[in-house]
Amino acid sequence: MELWAIWLVIGIILFIIEMLTLTFYLLWVGIGAIAAALIALVAPDLFFVQALVGCIVALGLTFFTKPLTRFIRKSKGYTDVIDDLVGKQGIVVETIEVGRNGVVKVGNETWSATSYQALQKDDIVIVIQRGTTVLEVQKWEGVS
């Protein structure tokens, strides 16, 4: 198999894995593999150059897009969908013990959650704070 095809397959596999994880880190590496495939078409005997170009593209995208996303997040009018979870009701799917994460369902999504009080399955909770992947919840004391 030609080396450009191997780089292309690697890039496609990384794109597929990226679609499953949604981290954007594998996206940049996948684009680097595609760049290496393009170099392999032009210079098929220079594996080192192909790998170097792929690495430079992946690292460049990783480092230069971070400030761009930070700028966009701080721009006027930007709202993060995850921030909208604060104040919403959910239901405990997996028991939450003090100091241990459980699982809550807020809307149609399930989230890891923590609480300063023990919560049982099917308790109604309200989101009081969010981390990157873990919500902080407390038992909802309101009237349904």
Side-chain angles (χ1 to χ4, degrees):
M1 183 181 252
E2 297 287 329
L3 197 52
W4 68 267
I6 294 172
W7 283 115
L8 186 62
V9 168
I10 291 170
I12 291 170
I13 289 171
L14 289 169
F15 286 154
I16 291 169
I17 295 171
E18 173 58 40
M19 285 188 266
L20 298 173
T21 62
L22 301 173
T23 59
F24 281 110
Y25 294 116
L26 294 177
L27 177 66
W28 306 144
V29 178
I31 292 172
I34 300 298
L38 293 173
I39 298 299
L41 281 171
V42 176
D45 297 330
L46 300 174
F47 176 76
F48 178 74
V49 174
Q50 298 164 18
L52 184 65
V53 167
C55 289
I56 289 171
V57 167
L59 287 171
L61 287 170
T62 301
F63 289 116
F64 291 119
T65 56
K66 187 70 172 176
L68 178 64
T69 56
R70 191 177 300 124
F71 173 75
I72 291 171
R73 285 176 163 257
K74 291 183 179 182
S75 66
K76 184 178 178 182
Y78 176 81
T79 57
D80 191 349
V81 176
I82 297 174
D83 288 332
D84 291 341
L85 291 173
V86 176
K88 291 200 174 181
Q89 280 186 353
I91 188 163
V92 177
V93 175
E94 187 179 297
T95 303
I96 302 172
E97 298 175 19
V98 177
R100 299 188 74 165
N101 289 352
V103 177
V104 296
K105 184 172 184 177
V106 180
N108 293 327
E109 299 177 333
T110 55
W111 291 85
S112 293
T114 186
S115 179
Y116 290 112
Q117 58 192 142
L119 299 168
Q120 301 303 314
K121 184 177 181 189
D122 296 327
D123 281 349
I124 296 175
V125 295
I126 188 162
V127 179
I128 57 174
Q129 187 176 340
R130 72 137 182 128
T132 48
T133 59
V134 179
L135 301 178
E136 185 178 328
V137 297
Q138 68 183 21
K139 190 168 188 168
W140 188 62
E141 302 293 336
V143 177
S144 322

